[in-house]
């Protein structure tokens, strides 16, 4: 009894037991913390998409139309002094035109929108004369779940014939979100539709006349804004990912070279196509699976189980990767006349 | 992912356990039987994925790069395949190898394999496949007359021997 009262410390065994219990508790907690962190990242990502949906509506209330991708400035309208030696007339993309509505008008105002984004007036050295400050990353276009953060247009412009070496880095700020351009004919075949690619997504150029007009009116979205998708996640471009894993490749061109700058236009508005999804040797093999298979042209995210999508009414929903292709095709078209209802 | 593809094996296990349990724990057994039955019914019929290969020839030559779509006669996922240089293919369904058994109508198109994307097309993703050398005769669900029957024991389908004219 006396010994018991004299005792002032812990035995080694007691200490070890306590440490072991704490270890087990931390071990239980860590995966939960990781999941909570990913949930928070996903929520932030969804918020970015919501802001883009609201920006579309703010743009509409200012101009009574929404910007479409892919306009070419007609040659007669193109400013001649100084001339554009690169010969490109593609205009800035949808996302760029939303910058003033995402509180980024400082970047927006630096550029000359009467000219192409492939024009020395609108390019940073060594290809152009514009201040590098115009090429700052816009956090609202970046999904925090995306691991890669690289956007080198050097090889792209080199292949396009611009005076730059393919090894010279030419960094443009990236985006993980994209306007949809169309459903490719080969995916239309999967749902029993004819093998034709029609540019009738919400932000597509009506009638495919890329010089005439670069806007869509809300009244042209006859399926209803709530039944039409305008933006999807397509994350981690310029690195290839196949079903969540980085895809090994030898050169950028072997891999294809995904471009992911929001200045680009044709380059980022992608046609959605079906992929087989089973052949790691040839990820681009045709098939009928779409979401989270291959991040080259299709909706792709680093969230589990699907991608986040902005609808025309500004709402954001999580589109499961098990969504049927019929529903996906119906959601993409703005004037298909389908009855899709609410997803899941 | 087709749930039916996954629960095929579980069903046998479940029935096995159900029989054992009813003899030992009568109440628990019957409750679990109800739960399991609901579980199985919720997953629809159990279609096992069958690993099927085959080949396509056009005018007696292997159709390099021909794309096949297998449309089920009822509801179900579309299975797909692409031919290699020898004209051989393996069926794939919803990103996994294999195809559920059933009867299918088969759409085939053969994009001209000599049309390859340029470097710029690869980068911009604006490559459209070459023209269909079968002239679109079999390209869609509506146009095709080809059929295939997949049973649990099917491993190789008969050759699709087509004419380009």
């Amino acid at each position: 009894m006396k010994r018991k009262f004299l005792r002032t410390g812990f035995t080694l065994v007691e200490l070890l037991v306590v440490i072991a219990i704490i270890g087990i508790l931390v071990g239980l907690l860590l995966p939960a913390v990781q999941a909570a962190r990913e949930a928070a990242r996903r929520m932030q990502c969804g918020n970015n998409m919501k802001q883009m949906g609201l920006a579309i509506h703010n743009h509409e209330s200012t101009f009574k139309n929404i910007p479409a991708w892919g306009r070419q400035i007609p040659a007669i309208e193109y400013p001649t002094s100084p001339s554009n030696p690169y010969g490109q007339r593609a205009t800035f993309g949808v996302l760029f035109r939303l910058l003033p509505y995402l509180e980024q008008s400082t970047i927006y105002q630096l550029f000359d929108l009467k000219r192409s984004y492939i024009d020395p007036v609108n390019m940073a050295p060594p290809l152009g004369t514009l201040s590098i400050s115009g090429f700052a990353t816009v956090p609202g276009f970046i999904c925090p779940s995306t691991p890669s953060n690289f956007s080198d247009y050097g090889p792209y412009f080199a292949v396009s014939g611009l005076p730059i070496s393919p090894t010279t880095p030419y960094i443009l700020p990236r985006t993980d979100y994209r306007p949809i351009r169309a459903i490719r004919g080969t995916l239309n075949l999967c749902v029993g539709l004819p093998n034709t690619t029609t540019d009738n997504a919400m932000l597509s150029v009506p009638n495919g006349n890329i010089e005439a007009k670069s806007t869509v009116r809300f009244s042209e979205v006859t399926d209803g804004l709530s039944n039409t998708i305008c933006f999807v996640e397509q994350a981690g471009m310029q690195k290839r990912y196949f079903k969540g894993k980085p895809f090994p490749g030898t050169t950028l061109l072997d891999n294809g070279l995904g471009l992911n700058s929001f200045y680009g236009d044709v380059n980022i508005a992608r046609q959605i196509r079906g992929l087989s999804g089973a052949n790691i040797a040839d990820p681009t093999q045709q098939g009928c699976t779409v979401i989270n298979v291959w991040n080259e042209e299709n909706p792709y995210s680093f969230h589990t189980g699907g991608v986040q999508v902005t609808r025309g009414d500004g709402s954001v929903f999580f589109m499961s990767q098990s969504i049927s292709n019929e529903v996906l095709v119906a959601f993409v078209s703005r004037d298909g006349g389908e009855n899709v209802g609410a997803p899941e | 992912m087709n749930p039916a593809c996954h629960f095929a094996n579980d069903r046998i296990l479940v029935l096995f356990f159900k029989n054992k349990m009813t003899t030992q724990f009568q109440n628990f057994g019957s409750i679990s039987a109800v739960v399991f039955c609901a579980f199985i019914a919720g997953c629809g019929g159990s279609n096992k994925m069958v690993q099927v290969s085959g080949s396509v020839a056009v005018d007696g030559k292997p159709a390099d790069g021909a794309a096949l779509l297998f449309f089920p006669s009822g509801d179900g996922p579309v299975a797909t395949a692409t031919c290699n240089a020898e004209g051989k293919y393996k069926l794939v369904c919803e990103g996994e190898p294999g195809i559920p058994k059933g009867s299918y109508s088969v759409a085939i198109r053969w994009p001209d394999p000599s049309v390859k994307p340029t470097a710029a097309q690869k980068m911009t993703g604006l490559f459209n496949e070459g023209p269909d050398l079968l002239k679109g005769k079999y390209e869609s669900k509506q146009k095709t007359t080809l059929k295939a029957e997949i049973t649990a024991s099917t491993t190789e389908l008969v050759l699709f021997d087509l004419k380009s004219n």
Side-chain angles (χ1 to χ4, degrees):
Chain A
M1 285 299 276
K2 203 178 178 190
R3 275 177 73 123
K4 198 176 175 185
F5 288 111
L6 284 174
R7 189 175 127 175
T8 54
F10 301 106
T11 66
L12 182 63
V13 173
E14 283 168 338
L15 269 175
L16 286 178
V17 166
V18 167
I19 290 169
I21 290 171
I22 292 172
I24 289 168
L25 287 178
V26 170
L28 287 174
L29 191 66
L30 269 185
V33 169
Q34 290 304 319
R37 284 163 62 94
E38 166 53 23
R41 284 193 290 259
R42 201 177 97 179
M43 199 180 281
Q44 191 184 339
C45 188
N47 180 52
N48 289 344
M49 301 196 78
K50 175 83 183 172
Q51 298 300 327
M52 288 157 57
L54 295 176
I56 283 275
H57 282 257
N58 283 331
H59 188 285
E60 201 273 343
S61 36
T62 310
F63 294 106
K64 301 297 168 220
N65 59 41
I66 47 180
W69 69 272
R71 183 169 188 250
Q72 303 268 342
I73 300 166
I76 47 162
E77 283 178 26
Y78 206 91
T80 48
S81 172
S83 67
N84 177 5
Y86 305 147
Q88 299 280 341
R89 292 185 280 118
T91 49
F92 286 87
V94 176
L95 298 178
F96 184 85
R97 284 166 194 279
L98 295 182
L99 284 178
Y101 308 99
L102 297 166
E103 301 193 323
Q104 298 289 346
S105 30
T106 45
I107 292 179
Y108 184 82
Q109 283 161 359
L110 285 173
F111 291 85
D112 182 353
L113 297 193
K114 290 192 179 67
R115 292 170 171 270
S116 173
Y117 68 100
I118 307 178
D119 183 312
V121 172
N122 286 331
M123 296 179 94
L127 286 169
T129 53
L130 196 71
S131 151
I132 196 81
S133 63
F135 300 89
T137 298
V138 175
F141 289 149
I142 289 170
C143 174
S145 299
T146 304
S148 88
N149 55 5
F150 183 64
S151 177
D152 182 7
Y153 268 66
Y156 170 75
F157 285 139
V159 168
S160 311
L162 266 59
I164 184 170
S165 146
T167 52
T168 306
Y170 186 84
I171 310 297
L172 291 179
R174 67 193 178 100
T175 173
D176 288 327
Y177 311 112
R178 273 143 217 281
I180 302 175
R181 182 180 162 196
I183 295 282
R184 214 172 251 223
T186 51
L187 181 58
N188 276 332
L189 283 176
C190 291
V191 298
L193 292 170
N195 183 7
T196 47
T197 306
T198 316
D199 286 331
N200 69 340
M202 180 164 159
L203 303 173
S204 292
V205 179
N207 311 318
N209 185 348
I210 55 171
E211 289 198 350
K213 187 181 161 190
S214 64
T215 55
V216 179
R217 285 171 179 277
F218 274 174
S219 57
E220 287 174 275
V221 187
T222 51
D223 281 356
L225 292 170
S226 313
N227 302 323
T228 308
I229 290 172
C230 54
F231 298 113
V232 295
E233 276 186 83
Q234 194 189 352
M237 293 277 285
Q238 284 221 341
K239 279 200 179 127
R240 286 285 172 264
Y241 288 91
F242 184 72
K243 290 182 164 177
K245 293 191 190 72
F247 185 75
T250 47
T251 70
L252 283 169
L253 282 182
D254 283 348
N255 269 342
L257 179 58
L259 296 173
N260 55 347
S261 171
F262 56 83
Y263 298 110
D265 193 41
V266 176
N267 301 322
I268 60 153
R270 291 301 176 115
Q271 297 172 337
I272 297 177
R273 64 173 174 174
L275 297 166
S276 108
N279 192 341
I280 182 70
D282 180 8
T284 60
Q285 201 170 69
Q286 296 285 327
C288 294
T289 47
V290 176
I291 296 171
N292 280 359
V293 177
W294 177 239
N295 71 338
E296 189 182 1
E297 279 171 275
N298 285 341
Y300 192 95
S301 79
F302 292 88
H303 316 305
T304 310
V307 294
Q308 298 192 91
V309 164
T310 308
R311 275 185 282 216
D313 61 0
S315 63
V316 176
F317 74 97
F318 191 75
M319 192 159 75
S320 160
Q321 65 195 47
S322 63
I323 191 173
S324 81
N325 285 336
E326 282 84 354
V327 177
L328 176 71
V329 168
F331 259 121
V332 168
S333 73
R334 67 162 177 263
D335 54 3
E338 314 91 345
N339 181 16
V340 284
E344 273 94 304
Chain B
M1 207 136 300
N2 184 4
C5 310
H6 287 279
F7 292 106
N9 295 332
D10 295 0
R11 185 180 189 176
I12 298 159
L13 267 178
V14 158
L15 289 177
F16 171 74
F17 276 116
K18 195 190 85 182
N19 290 339
K20 282 206 99 169
M21 282 168 176
T22 39
T23 54
Q24 288 171 11
F25 311 103
Q26 203 67 42
N27 283 335
F28 180 64
S30 52
I31 292 166
S32 61
V34 171
V35 170
F36 286 142
C37 284
F39 184 61
I40 291 167
C43 296
S46 57
N47 285 328
K48 204 173 179 184
M49 293 284 266
V50 192
Q51 303 300 319
V52 178
S53 58
S55 44
V56 179
V58 177
D59 301 332
K61 296 195 183 76
D64 177 14
L68 296 91
L69 296 171
F70 280 61
F71 293 97
S73 54
D75 280 348
V78 181
T80 60
T82 305
C83 293
N84 62 12
E86 287 90 53
K88 292 193 164 54
Y89 63 84
K90 284 195 177 107
L91 279 163
V92 165
C93 177
E94 301 199 309
E96 303 294 333
I99 176 171
K101 63 189 180 203
S103 51
Y104 291 84
S105 61
V106 183
I108 302 180
R109 66 178 195 286
W110 185 23
D112 190 341
S114 64
V115 179
K116 298 253 189 276
T118 63
Q121 283 173 328
K122 261 188 174 177
M123 290 187 304
T124 53
L126 292 178
F127 174 65
N128 286 319
E129 60 184 24
D132 185 5
L133 295 180
L134 296 165
K135 302 187 174 65
K137 270 185 292 184
Y138 309 101
E139 72 166 6
S140 69
K141 191 182 179 179
Q142 288 81 9
K143 285 184 187 170
T144 186
T145 50
L146 308 167
K147 302 270 179 223
E149 193 70 36
I150 310 281
T151 63
S153 58
T154 309
T155 54
E156 182 140 15
L157 288 171
V158 289
L159 170 76
F160 288 111
D161 192 4
L162 309 173
K163 300 268 174 289
S164 60
N165 283 305

